[in-house]
Amino acid sequence: GKLFNAVHVATVLLLMVLTPLLSAHTISREKREGTLDLLFLTSLTSMKFVATKFASQFIRVLSIWAVFIPLSIVPLLSGGVLLSDVQLMLIVELTVILLGLSAGLLASVLSKRMLAALVLSLFFSGAFLWLGVLFVNSSALPRVKLNPASAVKTYGLNLLFVTLVTILILHWIARLLTRTKQTQGETAAQRWFRTVFLTPKYWSGAFR
């Protein structure tokens, strides 16, 4: 039991840091490289774009998460680990993954620079996890002694709540992208600067 808890505590700590950092550069990199403008020219909607980014990063994190499966088999075969312990750890780790991916994508759409996106993703991830802990503490009715079955039920309810919040955050990110798409374009000052300083006026035929 101690070995099982140590492995999964390390897994949770790794996912808390790694998951938002992996997804923090997905949309911001598209902004920096200018490929987001090209995607807006296609029939791809903002929601489909955000869902695709979320799904690809989710599969990427699951591949990292699968590395810890052989480490968990050893204490399971040795005994002393209940089925409720396995269910509880899986629910907690999946909750951390969903919150981390949501935090990373939200930070990625709000910032264009990579460093700012990384810092914002860690901040949002910590805030989301803190809200999740508050939700668990408020929904845990047997506060004195929480048995394994009620703990699985409480954290499963928290996972359902986190899933709904993740869907709402993805819709919000898609709306932010749509707003960016609608407000995109040159301002009057940018158009004047381009006309005066960046438009060739002399020998344009020779240099063409």
Side-chain angles (χ1 to χ4, degrees):
K2 292 181 180 179
L3 178 60
F4 180 81
N5 290 330
V7 169
H8 284 277
V9 166
T11 305
V12 169
L13 293 177
L14 177 66
L15 292 175
M16 285 173 58
V17 179
L18 190 62
T19 304
L21 293 181
L22 285 177
S23 57
H25 66 92
T26 52
I27 303 177
S28 61
R29 183 176 61 184
E30 302 281 355
K31 290 181 178 180
R32 290 193 304 269
E33 296 178 355
T35 54
L36 189 61
D37 302 334
L38 299 177
L39 291 174
F40 282 153
L41 296 176
T42 65
S43 59
L44 185 67
T45 62
S46 300
M47 189 60 208
K48 288 181 180 179
F49 173 74
V50 174
T52 304
K53 290 293 184 181
F54 182 84
S56 61
Q57 296 302 317
F58 184 76
I59 295 174
R60 187 179 180 185
V61 174
L62 285 183
S63 64
I64 300 175
W65 191 24
V67 176
F68 291 89
I69 293 179
L71 297 177
S72 302
I73 292 178
V74 176
L76 286 176
L77 296 178
S78 301
V81 179
L82 301 176
L83 180 61
S84 58
D85 297 333
V86 179
Q87 293 175 348
L88 183 61
M89 286 299 178
L90 292 179
I91 290 173
V92 170
E93 290 166 5
L94 186 57
T95 303
V96 172
I97 289 174
L98 292 178
L99 291 177
L101 289 177
S102 302
L105 288 177
L106 182 58
S108 184
V109 76
L110 291 178
S111 58
K112 187 175 182 180
R113 293 188 299 176
M114 185 175 181
L115 181 60
L118 294 177
V119 174
L120 270 180
S121 66
L122 292 177
F123 174 76
F124 287 149
S125 178
F128 291 165
L129 289 173
W130 179 68
L131 292 176
V133 171
L134 289 181
F135 180 79
V136 169
N137 292 333
S138 63
S139 61
L141 297 179
R143 300 293 294 275
V144 180
K145 187 177 181 180
L146 197 65
N147 53 21
S150 59
V152 170
K153 183 179 179 180
T154 301
Y155 281 91
L157 182 63
N158 180 46
L159 177 60
L160 179 61
F161 176 73
V162 167
T163 304
L164 295 177
V165 171
T166 301
I167 295 174
L168 292 177
I169 291 176
L170 292 181
H171 279 280
W172 185 30
I173 293 172
R175 290 188 63 181
L176 291 176
L177 280 178
T178 304
R179 191 178 306 171
T180 304
K181 176 182 176 181
Q182 292 174 353
T183 58
Q184 206 169 12
E186 285 184 327
T187 61
Q190 291 174 344
R191 192 178 305 111
W192 174 84
F193 184 85
R194 179 176 57 82
T195 304
V196 174
F197 294 103
L198 302 178
T199 303
K201 298 180 180 179
Y202 306 104
W203 302 329
S204 57
F207 285 105
R208 189 179 300 276

